[in-house]
Amino acid sequence: DSMAVPRTALLETGVIHVLLTSPAPSWYPHRKYMHEGNEVLKVVWGKENNRGSHSGVCVVHYVDGECFSLCDDEEVEPCDYEGEAEIQGRLQKIMQFAEALVRKLGFIMHHEENRWDFLFAESKWEAVPPEDPERLKAKGFKREIILVHPRENQARTLEALFAVQASDDEEEEEEEEKEEEEEEEGKRKE
């Protein structure tokens, strides 16, 4: 709990009370999402191909405003297949780093792809903690993707699906039984 201390009280006692807190948003779970000893707020990464120029970047944003980044930007001459393969390999490492970090943290990922013509294309990703209340309002992103461990979550999803299906089936059976009973009662009254 923090409490404002009147200035006169500070002068009288000579004691200063300091409340240390994380600069993270109030919804952010303290020290839950860590990278390199820092609390991760979001991860943004992407790649761009533009007429022989290739670039890729990954920026890990921390709650204290600092960033960790990986980037690569290189122009490749037309028909330089060896140079093309080399830069694509380096860009792939950046993308793999970002995806592995996002998977480890359990963040929600948003993805957008744009292609203006045959020679220009870009892909952008942003990943945020599932607790982020703004995650569903990510501007410009078309879909939400959750990177998960397929076996565990597939089983959970199937269990939930079957539970809902079973519940629906039971309700339908109950309704059919009621209708049959009502029909029988109607016939008896006649």
Side-chain angles (χ1 to χ4, degrees):
D1 292 329
S2 66
M3 184 171 70
V5 178
R7 187 186 301 205
T8 54
L10 286 176
L11 294 175
E12 291 172 6
T13 63
V15 176
I16 298 175
H17 297 273
V18 179
L19 176 63
L20 300 176
T21 62
S22 168
S26 60
W27 55 261
Y28 188 87
H30 181 65
R31 301 193 61 77
K32 182 175 180 182
Y33 304 112
M34 302 298 291
H35 173 255
E36 303 275 324
N38 295 297
E39 293 176 298
V40 179
L41 184 60
K42 68 179 176 178
V43 181
V44 179
W45 71 104
K47 61 183 177 178
E48 183 178 293
N49 300 317
N50 187 9
R51 295 169 180 77
S53 175
H54 303 276
S55 62
V57 66
C58 173
V59 181
V60 180
H61 296 266
Y62 301 124
V63 298
D64 64 3
E66 296 293 319
C67 295
F68 168 86
S69 64
L70 296 172
C71 62
D72 202 331
D73 189 354
E74 189 170 313
E75 191 147 334
V76 179
E77 294 297 320
C79 300
D80 178 3
Y81 300 113
E82 203 171 286
E84 176 82 18
E86 182 183 330
I87 185 69
Q88 290 298 340
R90 293 196 316 255
L91 294 178
Q92 187 63 28
K93 286 181 183 176
I94 293 172
M95 301 301 113
Q96 289 171 343
F97 166 81
E99 290 174 8
L101 179 60
V102 167
R103 184 174 282 113
K104 176 185 164 207
L105 296 173
F107 278 15
I108 303 297
M109 181 172 71
H110 301 275
H111 178 229
E112 178 182 20
E113 281 193 38
N114 295 304
R115 182 175 293 276
W116 285 274
D117 58 31
F118 181 71
L119 299 173
F120 181 82
E122 72 175 353
S123 291
K124 298 185 287 186
W125 292 266
E126 179 181 86
V128 296
E131 294 88 353
D132 184 348
E134 297 295 312
R135 73 182 171 87
L136 297 176
K137 300 175 186 174
K139 296 177 181 168
F141 290 93
K142 297 176 185 170
R143 55 192 162 137
E144 184 173 288
I145 302 167
I146 304 173
L147 295 176
V148 295
H149 298 289
R151 289 186 182 145
E152 292 174 15
N153 288 300
Q154 183 179 13
R156 288 186 197 140
T157 303
L158 290 174
E159 285 175 16
L161 178 64
F162 290 137
V164 168
Q165 184 65 42
S167 173
D168 290 345
D169 290 346
E170 288 173 10
E171 287 176 15
E172 285 178 23
E173 286 176 15
E174 288 175 9
E175 286 178 26
E176 287 175 10
E177 287 175 10
K178 283 183 183 177
E179 288 175 10
E180 288 175 9
E181 288 174 8
E182 289 172 1
E183 284 179 24
E184 288 178 22
E185 269 188 54
K187 289 179 183 177
R188 283 186 222 153
K189 290 181 181 179
E190 292 175 2

